[in-house]
Amino acid sequence: MGVGAAASSGGLMTAAAPSAASGRYDFKGPVAISSRNGTAAVRRAMEEIQAGADALDAVVAGVGLIEEDPDDTSVGYGGLPNAEGVVQLDASVMHGPSGRAGGVAALEGIVHASQVALKVLRRSDHVLLVGRGAQEFARMHGFPVQDLMTEKSRQRWLRWKENLSKDDEYLPAHDFDDATIGQAEGWNERHWGTINCNAIDLSGNVSGVTTTSGLAFKIPGRVGDSPIIGAGLYVDNEVGAAGSTGRGEANLESLASFLIVERMREGDTPEEACLYACRRIASRTRPAYLLDGNGRPRFNVQFYALRRDGLVGGAEIWGGRGQFAAADSDGARLVPLAYLYEAS
Ligand code: GLY
């Protein structure tokens, strides 16, 4: 679909789809991109790349700054906890040159989940470790175990807990067509923060990482899209990389990062491919409680993609003011995300 054309979303009521202009962000060389919260991460990743680092080491170094930032409540230390007040982290990494991936899910007590995912990739024959096993593996490699709750995140959790009856993730028995389920006040303002960061290094190799504390106040044990290769992250060294933030459940049901990379392989620009994934999710979302009065998703998902030649782009379902971070040898900047529907 061309820029600004009407969105085709499988029978849903659609609006014109304004978009950032495809092709404006053609970096033609080493570049790092991330979700909006990653300006420091892409800057750091580019410093590493300029010093000769592999793209995978560079992006993991970059997101490490966000994982240890107590003020970012979407990831690592200070991430918002699950319903029981325990911070459970998900992360994945994927390395273009080797085609290998590593991930951890529902990992407790380790600040740098992305570094543990990297150890899974480099020091095990597995791809995904979860829960206690992931923590034991991290301890084996010398990661300290600590409480990840900050006073800020504890206070946020407590407020949620005290208002639980109107705001939880447990759905009562309901008809599939019951549009009132889950529509308690503030439901669609739930917190799905995450950081995805992808880069091309001096050798032209592509890698990526996605790391998160996941959906705030989730049911303990819930795993989102971030650690699932093909959903929260996908890299193909011949094509490029894609990753996501936002409602992980929608992405888990569409494997959109894999979809985006495959669309780029077929000739889509990164932005076109990201918009395609947004339309796919919008057209496949059926439960009434997830749709607004016009049949559009009541949640948001963002995608970020880069092509092996340096072209970058991103899109989200609901937007207008959304941005992502990008950095090259000229430094870091925020660039607009394309979008499917304009948020009011
Ligand atoms: N996209 C992050 C999550 O849903 O956990």
Side-chain angles (χ1 to χ4, degrees):
M1 188 187 75
V3 172
S8 137
S9 50
L12 293 175
M13 187 164 174
T14 58
S19 164
S22 291
R24 273 166 53 192
Y25 310 114
D26 187 350
F27 287 92
K28 287 201 173 33
V31 59
I33 63 168
S34 80
S35 41
R36 194 185 189 293
N37 55 343
T39 304
V42 292
R43 196 176 288 125
R44 173 71 184 275
M46 276 311 298
E47 287 167 7
E48 296 281 329
I49 286 170
Q50 299 292 358
D54 182 280
L56 183 55
D57 291 306
V59 294
V60 170
V63 300
L65 298 177
I66 316 303
E67 289 175 322
E68 64 203 30
D69 178 357
D71 289 327
D72 190 315
T73 55
S74 73
V75 59
Y77 181 61
L80 290 174
N82 67 19
E84 300 301 326
V86 177
V87 180
Q88 289 187 322
L89 306 176
D90 296 339
S92 64
V93 293
M94 195 161 181
H95 183 232
S98 65
R100 284 229 57 210
V104 289
L107 172 66
E108 297 177 12
I110 312 281
V111 173
H112 294 107
S114 66
Q115 292 179 17
V116 185
L118 187 57
K119 285 282 185 215
V120 173
L121 184 156
R122 289 194 173 140
R123 301 291 288 272
S124 86
D125 189 38
H126 300 321
V127 170
L128 182 60
L129 296 179
V130 306
R132 176 124 184 265
Q135 192 193 66
E136 286 304 316
F137 181 78
R139 274 161 44 91
M140 191 177 99
H141 282 284
F143 288 85
V145 178
Q146 65 181 85
D147 185 359
L148 301 183
M149 280 270 258
T150 57
E151 183 58 16
K152 181 175 163 182
S153 57
R154 191 185 69 79
Q155 289 291 346
R156 290 275 297 274
W157 172 65
L158 191 60
R159 200 164 66 234
W160 172 80
K161 199 84 175 165
E162 287 171 345
N163 295 282
L164 194 56
S165 64
K166 290 190 73 182
D167 192 8
D168 72 13
E169 290 298 301
Y170 298 90
L171 298 181
H174 61 283
D175 289 333
F176 189 69
D177 291 323
D178 183 349
T180 66
I181 295 294
Q183 288 196 3
E185 191 181 345
W187 181 88
N188 60 354
E189 289 152 21
R190 299 296 294 282
H191 188 92
W192 279 286
T194 296
I195 178 165
N196 162 248
C197 184
N198 308 303
I200 305 171
D201 62 26
L202 294 175
S203 303
N205 289 320
V206 183
S207 287
V209 59
T210 302
T211 179
T212 188
S213 50
L215 173 66
F217 321 132
K218 58 197 172 188
I219 295 173
R222 177 263 191 190
V223 172
D225 56 332
S226 302
I228 306 302
I229 297 301
L233 178 69
Y234 197 71
V235 177
D236 184 317
N237 213 37
E238 292 179 3
V239 180
S244 68
T245 59
R247 180 180 159 83
E249 281 70 12
N251 192 14
L252 281 168
E253 291 171 338
S254 64
L255 294 181
S257 291
F258 180 75
L259 177 65
I260 289 166
V261 170
E262 292 308 301
R263 292 291 302 187
M264 292 196 293
R265 191 193 306 280
E266 298 303 318
D268 273 7
T269 65
E271 184 179 289
E272 287 167 347
C274 291
L275 277 170
Y276 184 91
C278 290
R279 287 199 300 278
R280 172 69 67 88
I281 288 175
S283 67
R284 296 295 192 282
T285 301
R286 304 267 159 68
Y289 73 90
L290 292 176
L291 300 172
D292 71 8
N294 292 319
R296 300 169 300 189
R298 297 177 61 234
F299 55 83
N300 209 359
V301 180
Q302 295 83 21
F303 297 110
Y304 317 91
L306 61 75
R307 210 168 60 184
R308 188 187 162 82
D309 64 1
L311 186 64
V312 307
E316 58 187 339
I317 294 177
W318 289 98
R321 290 186 295 279
Q323 295 174 310
F324 65 104
D328 62 3
S329 52
D330 292 336
R333 72 214 79 160
L334 292 171
V335 294
L337 282 170
Y339 55 95
L340 205 53
Y341 307 118
E342 185 156 8
S344 54

